[in-house]
Amino acid sequence: MASTAVSAETIANALADAYNNSGLLAQNRAVLRAADEDVAQAASRLLPVVSWAAAATRSFPRAVGADVITGSLSLSASLTLYDAGANQLAIAAQKQLVLGTRESLRDVEQQVLFRAVQAYMSVRSTAEFISLRQNNLRVLQQELRAAQDRFDVGEVTRTDVALAQASVASAQSLLSGAQGDARQAAAEFVAAVGRKPGDLAAVAPAPVSKSESEAAALAVRNHPSVLQAQYSVAANELAIERAKTAYKPTVSLGADIGVDFNGNAGRSVDLSVGGPIYSGGALPSQVRQAMATRDQARAALHLASLGVQQSVSNAYASLQVARASLSSTDEQVRAARVAFEGIREEATLGARTTLDVLNAEQNLLSARANVITAQEGEVNASYAVLSAMGLLTAEHLNLNVQQYDPAAYYNLVKDAPAALSEQGQALDRVLRAIGQ
């Protein structure tokens, strides 16, 4: 028994493996890295753009004294000097979207961990149901043998034996069903955790210390779906300001240097200023569209806040029901056991029928099954409360994992490093490591 207790894995082990093995988390981390690159691309618009061009031309027919082939090589550079803050606003908006994407990743993390909790509890519950069904089958087989013995000596009728046989057949069918449920639970565990379940230890409900009102208030401040909606509103506010900058002029600086096949070089520098005069109503339409999108984001924020409050309320209700059910089922099991033992003893004295014994056994079985269901419900509901508050994360649960740093990649790309720079080479190493 001691070795079994030592080797049994805990729910913390399962949650850590779910965190490490989740393809869904890997997918959404890649989504976050893609969002980080949007900041880099926005930042690159404030930097000089340098490009080259080469051309070769053959003339037909050849003119007297003219070259058959002419060519040129040029290098050009451009830099935006003034755009009324449009690019800076674009960078700021993309940063808000990155923060929102980080919250989306945190929400996915909660989903992954909660699925692992449910899978863990399902495996444990189905194993307990199998044990319960096996014990019930053994008891009913004993009752069948007792009924057969009593029939042989004329104490009961063939009907009593038939009832006992029917109960044994039903118990065998229920055992097969429980074993099928266990196989399905194991398959879900593999999908949720990334490996097969071992010997799973018993689980205590997650500690939930806050009242429902306190939990709801925390959820509104902390839940990733709410925070993501807040960042979306902020990004859309910036998008309105950026749309307004389209009315203002832009100033850019350009430079070119080129040489032809004859060695003739040319250089030029230009400063250009321009702005809209008439756009056919496109510019004010873009501003109005940005405002409408902002209003849509505000409505989504309101709905997200209502949604997390409802989730907290539902989770607390489920937790209270499970706790109340546990309290009543414990008493139900005690009473059903006393009744079953008494009726079975009375049956041996001829004061009770076989049907009375079988009914009492069924009542005890149902009471024990209710305990298993209530225990599973209490644990699941307690973790659902954490999820509703935005606390079902590897950090809050203090899981033994290398936690993913959502800012690490962003810090490497936010300034749009060049490919050959030291920072760009560091990025290449990071991406190669991720690809492995």
Side-chain angles (χ1 to χ4, degrees):
M1 294 296 292
S3 61
T4 302
V6 171
S7 62
E9 64 173 282
T10 66
I11 194 170
N13 300 140
L15 292 178
D17 286 340
Y19 182 89
N20 289 329
N21 299 332
S22 173
L24 188 59
L25 278 175
Q27 176 188 7
N28 282 271
R29 287 165 184 166
V31 170
L32 176 58
R33 293 195 298 274
D36 293 341
E37 295 293 355
D38 287 334
V39 176
Q41 292 167 27
S44 70
R45 298 186 185 99
L46 294 174
L47 302 175
V49 176
V50 182
S51 58
W52 64 273
T57 305
R58 182 181 178 118
S59 301
F60 296 96
R62 177 183 177 184
V64 178
D67 293 334
V68 176
I69 299 176
T70 60
S72 64
L73 177 66
S74 63
L75 187 67
S76 61
S78 62
L79 175 65
T80 300
L81 300 178
Y82 176 76
D83 62 359
N87 284 330
Q88 289 286 4
L89 288 167
I91 294 172
Q94 291 300 336
K95 287 180 177 178
Q96 294 297 318
L97 294 177
V98 163
L99 294 175
T101 307
R102 290 181 188 178
E103 294 303 324
S104 177
L105 176 60
R106 190 160 69 95
D107 198 25
V108 169
E109 180 182 339
Q110 291 206 135
Q111 295 171 28
V112 167
L113 295 180
F114 188 60
R115 182 183 181 186
V117 169
Q118 292 178 308
Y120 186 102
M121 293 307 301
S122 182
V123 169
R124 270 197 56 84
S125 295
T126 53
E128 291 179 355
F129 274 121
I130 288 175
S131 178
L132 186 64
R133 298 297 182 189
Q134 288 173 335
N135 290 335
N136 180 57
L137 178 59
R138 284 193 292 269
V139 170
L140 291 176
Q141 287 171 337
Q142 292 173 358
E143 295 297 331
L144 174 58
R145 287 193 293 270
Q148 185 67 54
D149 292 342
R150 294 172 66 191
F151 172 76
D152 291 340
V153 298
E155 293 183 0
V156 296
T157 66
R158 173 64 67 181
T159 302
D160 294 291
V161 176
L163 286 171
Q165 289 173 334
S167 295
V168 168
S170 176
Q172 290 173 331
S173 175
L174 292 173
L175 175 59
S176 297
Q179 291 169 336
D181 292 340
R183 288 192 291 271
Q184 292 180 1
E188 170 62 13
F189 188 95
V190 172
V193 179
R195 59 169 174 78
K196 293 182 178 180
D199 181 19
L200 306 185
V203 182
V208 180
S209 57
K210 295 183 179 298
S211 67
E212 181 177 338
S213 59
E214 292 173 331
L218 176 61
V220 171
R221 299 192 307 270
N222 180 68
H223 197 278
S225 64
V226 175
L227 296 179
Q228 182 183 9
Q230 290 175 347
Y231 289 127
S232 179
V233 171
N236 281 286
E237 293 282 5
L238 292 166
I240 294 173
E241 297 305 314
R242 188 185 180 205
K244 292 178 180 178
T245 64
Y247 288 101
K248 299 179 181 179
T250 58
V251 181
S252 60
L253 177 66
D256 292 276
I257 182 171
V259 61
D260 60 20
F261 279 8
N262 297 321
N264 300 316
R267 302 176 183 83
S268 67
V269 177
D270 64 87
L271 181 69
S272 60
V273 181
I277 295 176
Y278 177 71
S279 63
L283 296 183
S285 174
Q286 291 169 2
V287 173
R288 294 193 301 270
Q289 184 181 52
M291 295 175 69
T293 304
R294 184 270 320 273
D295 294 341
Q296 176 187 355
R298 286 178 174 175
L301 172 59
H302 178 65
L303 291 174
S305 299
L306 293 177
V308 297
Q309 292 179 72
Q310 182 180 9
S311 295
V312 169
S313 180
N314 291 343
Y316 263 90
S318 297
L319 183 60
Q320 291 168 356
V321 168
R323 286 173 174 173
S325 179
L326 262 180
S327 177
S328 62
T329 52
D330 286 341
E331 176 60 24
Q332 183 184 4
V333 169
R334 187 199 64 79
R337 183 185 298 111
V338 171
F340 170 67
E341 292 172 352
I343 290 174
R344 185 169 57 180
E345 182 66 25
E346 292 172 2
T348 61
L349 301 175
R352 292 282 187 171
T353 66
T354 300
L355 180 60
D356 293 331
V357 175
L358 295 175
N359 286 339
E361 164 63 15
Q362 184 59 46
N363 290 335
L364 179 57
L365 175 68
S366 297
R368 288 172 173 167
N370 289 339
V371 170
I372 296 172
T373 301
Q375 289 172 338
E376 179 183 8
E378 182 184 22
V379 172
N380 285 342
S382 66
Y383 280 94
V385 170
L386 290 184
S387 178
M389 291 190 290
L391 298 178
L392 188 55
T393 62
E395 180 181 9
H396 182 77
L397 298 176
N398 197 27
L399 299 181
N400 184 25
V401 295
Q402 180 65 44
Q403 294 183 27
Y404 183 79
D405 182 1
Y409 188 85
Y410 171 84
N411 291 333
L412 290 174
V413 304
K414 63 180 180 180
D415 297 321
L420 298 180
S421 68
E422 181 178 347
Q423 198 169 354
Q425 293 173 355
L427 270 171
D428 289 339
R429 292 192 294 270
V430 169
L431 290 175
R432 283 196 297 270
I434 291 172
Q436 295 173 354

